[in-house]
């Protein structure tokens, strides 16, 4: 029997869900409503469009017509869902409002920036960096105005990436954070000390300062904190995001303890035939088993795949996340997977940690660089709990450790892991193996 699936949001999770349903049930009517003109977009690429590395058009993995013509999805762009009720949604489109019926509903409408309640955020030249339209707006503003001084408010992943985008263009960049460390919520101090030293080489880092207001005559001119004033021709607000749960609340969907939509392992919500995937949905942590909200692209895509599979009658479960993530500032790579020491202690683990500095190649082979690694393990049974990495060539180490965590490795399992070796690629004692040795022995 033909069914109608309505998906709210045309980002990674939404289009993954739609594509999966159409593959398994090509005769079904699958409708996607996306509030912008961007579909299957890559918000993670926003800083790199601003930096000039990539044209904005490439932020869409596939163009809209691909989904319409090749996959048979009924895609509605510039279509904002404004009301949700059982079996029906109301949508504001360019030609007016319309109602659509559904047999299955999917919330894949992502998250939005958290803008602090400070005066001046509505001045021209003040931006968030959340979606592809933001990259377009920032680039256009820079082309039309003499932008020399940039202030980035925030010290998380997006703040670092946006700061880099302006540093490489020769701008005078100031980064303002209210906490005592950058990346405070996601990394321990050993790692953030190295990151902060790198940041100070390239920008004016101001920590433990509270932004009071943004000033200017229609256009931004300066940012005022409780400790000083900073010239600003452009301001980026990168102070976190929040899940877009308003529509789900209309329907009475259960909101989880994280503030995102509660889902089970099949991405089903608390209401029959209603699913959620991506940045709007919470899941569970693979180590602690606790409910977590980790708004990152890889799990978002997989959540969409799982939701689409189950809607179409194929039983697939989403196991959860480790919070594996990576970013960079200039040539310094920063990444993690699993729990930090602070997180593990908060969860009640009795931990053992190791922090090492190593080289990425043998000392006799050219091109080697420094890498710093911190591992966390359960002191009682040796089970690995997490890794943090900073320096060069960290991705293979972070990824290998993520697989080890998911497999339930203990420290000795990592020590005896049969990793590849050749001088152009790694030392005979890979930094991960050295880390495990220090942690174990």
């Amino acid at each position: 029997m033909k069914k109608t699936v309505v998906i709210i949001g045309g980002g990674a999770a939404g289009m993954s869900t739609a594509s999966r349903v159409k593959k398994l049930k090509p005769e079904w009517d699958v409708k996607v409503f996306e509030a912008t003109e961007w579909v299957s977009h890559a918000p993670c690429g926003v800083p790199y469009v601003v930096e000039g590395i990539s044209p904005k058009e490439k932020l869409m993995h596939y163009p809209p017509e691909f989904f319409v013509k090749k996959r048979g999805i009924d895609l509605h762009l510039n279509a904002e869902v404004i009301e949700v009720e059982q079996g029906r949604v109301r949508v504001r489109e360019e030609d007016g409002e319309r109602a659509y019926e559904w047999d299955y509903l999917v919330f894949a409408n992502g998250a939005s920036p958290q803008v602090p309640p400070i005066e001046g955020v509505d001045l021209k030249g003040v931006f968030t960096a959340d979606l592809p339209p933001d990259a377009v707006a920032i680039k256009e503003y820079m082309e039309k105005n003499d932008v020399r001084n940039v202030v980035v408010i925030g010290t998380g992943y997006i703040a670092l990436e946006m700061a880099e985008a302006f540093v490489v263009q020769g701008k005078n960049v100031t980064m303002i954070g209210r906490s005592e460390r950058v990346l405070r919520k996601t990394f321990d101090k050993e790692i953030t000390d190295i990151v902060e030293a790198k940041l100070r080489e390239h920008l004016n880092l101001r920590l433990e300062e509270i932004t009071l207001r943004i000033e200017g005559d229609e256009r931004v001119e300066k940012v005022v904190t409780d400790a000083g004033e900073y010239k600003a021709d452009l301001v980026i607000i990168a102070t976190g995001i929040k899940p877009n749960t308003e529509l789900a609340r209309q329907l009475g969907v259960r909101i989880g303890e994280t503030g995102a939509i509660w889902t089970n392992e099949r991405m089903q919500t608390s209401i029959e035939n209603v699913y959620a995937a991506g940045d709007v949905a919470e899941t569970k942590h693979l180590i602690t088993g606790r409910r977590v909200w980790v708004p990152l692209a890889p799990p978002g895509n997989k959540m969409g795949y799982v939701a689409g599979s189950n809607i179409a009658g194929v039983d697939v479960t989403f196991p959860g996340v480790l919070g594996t993530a990576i970013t960079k500032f200039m040539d310094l790579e920063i990444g993690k997977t699993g729990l930090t020491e602070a997180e593990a202690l908060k969860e009640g683990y009795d931990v053992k940690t190791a922090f090492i500095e190593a080289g990425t190649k043998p000392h006799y082979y050219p091109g080697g660089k420094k890498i710093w690694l911190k591992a966390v393990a359960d002191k009682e049974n040796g089970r690995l709990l997490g890794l943090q990495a900073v320096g060069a060539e960290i991705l293979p180490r972070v990824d290998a450790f993520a697989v080890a965590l998911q497999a339930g490795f203990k420290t000795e399992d990592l020590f005896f892991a049969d990793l590849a070796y050749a001088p152009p690629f790694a030392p005979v004692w890979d930094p991960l193996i050295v880390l495990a040795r220090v942690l174990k022995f």
Side-chain angles (χ1 to χ4, degrees):
M1 183 178 177
K2 183 178 178 180
K3 301 288 186 179
T4 298
V5 181
V6 164
I7 299 166
I8 305 173
M15 298 318 295
S16 292
T17 304
S19 297
R20 183 64 173 157
V21 173
K22 286 299 286 188
K23 182 176 180 61
L24 296 172
K25 299 287 186 179
E27 73 279 9
W28 282 17
D29 180 14
V30 177
K31 299 181 184 297
V32 176
F33 297 102
E34 167 56 41
T36 73
E37 61 184 21
W38 297 78
V39 68
S40 185
H41 49 71
C44 299
V46 167
Y48 308 106
V49 171
V50 173
E51 186 174 330
I53 290 174
S54 173
K56 61 182 185 294
E57 293 77 16
K58 289 192 176 181
L59 287 184
M60 286 192 286
H61 191 67
Y62 293 113
E65 53 269 21
F66 171 84
F67 293 102
V68 176
K69 295 177 181 178
K70 297 287 187 181
R71 296 189 175 173
I73 296 167
D74 184 12
L75 178 60
H76 298 242
L77 298 180
N78 298 306
E80 181 185 2
V81 177
I82 56 177
E83 187 179 358
V84 177
E85 57 187 23
Q86 189 63 45
R88 181 177 168 273
V89 295
R90 191 157 58 90
V91 186
R92 182 184 296 124
E93 302 186 68
E94 292 176 307
D95 58 351
E97 293 183 8
R98 285 191 60 190
Y100 297 88
E101 295 185 352
W102 55 266
D103 298 299
Y104 293 91
L105 179 67
V106 182
F107 290 102
N109 49 328
S112 295
Q114 279 189 317
V115 179
I118 56 176
E119 182 183 342
V121 293
D122 54 349
L123 286 170
K124 292 179 180 176
V126 179
F127 300 94
T128 56
D130 177 56
L131 293 172
D134 298 325
V136 175
I138 294 167
K139 289 286 285 183
E140 288 179 350
Y141 188 85
M142 293 177 70
E143 291 166 1
K144 295 175 182 177
N145 297 278
D146 183 17
V147 174
R148 299 181 185 181
N149 300 292
V150 176
V151 172
V152 177
I153 302 173
T155 55
Y157 292 117
I158 298 299
L160 265 64
E161 292 165 3
M162 291 303 297
E164 178 193 276
F166 296 110
V167 166
V168 299
Q169 295 179 75
K171 309 302 180 185
N172 299 315
V173 179
T174 298
M175 177 181 284
I176 302 172
R178 62 187 304 163
S179 62
E180 74 280 4
R181 297 190 290 117
V182 301
L183 299 167
R184 179 180 59 85
K185 293 181 179 179
T186 45
F187 290 88
D188 291 325
K189 191 173 185 299
E190 296 97 325
I191 303 298
T192 59
D193 282 349
I194 297 167
V195 176
E196 287 168 14
K198 186 69 175 182
L199 287 166
R200 288 191 171 98
E201 292 177 15
H202 298 275
L203 54 75
N204 181 19
L205 179 60
R206 313 298 302 183
L207 297 175
E208 297 185 272
E209 291 190 24
I210 297 173
T211 302
L212 300 177
R213 60 188 178 276
I214 302 170
E215 294 184 356
D217 184 12
E218 292 191 2
R219 183 181 302 160
V220 62
E221 296 173 12
K222 64 181 176 180
V223 174
V224 180
T225 75
D226 60 352
E229 298 182 356
Y230 307 97
K231 286 184 178 179
D233 305 308
L234 188 149
V235 173
I236 299 293
I237 296 177
T239 50
I241 59 175
K242 57 185 177 182
N244 295 325
T245 59
E246 295 81 6
L247 293 172
R249 292 174 190 272
Q250 282 185 17
L251 193 60
V253 167
R254 176 183 171 189
I255 304 301
E257 59 194 75
T258 67
I261 297 174
W262 178 91
T263 61
N264 65 14
E265 59 189 5
R266 291 172 176 77
M267 308 317 300
Q268 295 166 315
T269 71
S270 59
I271 294 179
E272 188 178 4
N273 294 344
V274 178
Y275 292 71
D279 290 358
V280 77
E282 71 173 25
T283 181
K284 72 174 182 179
H285 199 283
L286 284 168
I287 294 176
T288 67
R290 288 188 184 273
R291 305 296 296 181
V292 290
W293 178 55
V294 180
L296 295 171
N301 277 279
K302 293 167 189 170
M303 286 177 177
Y305 183 92
V306 170
S309 298
N310 285 288
I311 289 169
V314 176
D315 187 19
V316 180
T317 58
F318 185 74
V321 296
L322 291 165
T324 308
I326 189 168
T327 188
K328 78 178 190 75
F329 179 80
M330 308 305 284
D331 61 349
L332 187 74
E333 301 169 9
I334 312 151
K336 68 162 291 192
T337 185
L339 303 178
T340 63
E341 181 181 2
E343 290 168 338
L345 290 171
K346 188 177 178 181
E347 290 291 336
Y349 289 99
D350 184 14
V351 303
K352 184 176 182 182
T353 67
F355 179 67
I356 67 164
E357 176 186 320
T360 60
K361 290 179 174 59
H363 67 277
Y364 56 81
Y365 196 92
K369 297 179 181 178
K370 287 184 179 180
I371 182 173
W372 292 265
L373 300 172
K374 180 177 181 179
V376 184
D378 187 328
K379 186 185 289 187
E380 183 179 345
N381 58 24
R383 182 190 175 193
L384 296 173
L385 298 176
L387 173 76
Q388 299 160 73
V390 65
E393 300 175 26
I394 72 169
L395 181 65
R397 278 91 190 186
V398 172
D399 280 350
F401 207 99
V403 174
L405 286 177
Q406 200 153 346
F409 270 31
K410 295 184 177 182
T411 309
E412 62 193 62
D413 298 319
L414 181 61
F415 177 72
F416 288 112
D418 191 9
L419 304 185
Y421 156 69
F425 306 105
V428 66
W429 287 89
D430 187 272
L432 268 189
I433 305 302
V434 175
L435 183 69
R437 185 180 68 198
V438 173
L439 194 61
K440 176 68 177 175
F441 306 107

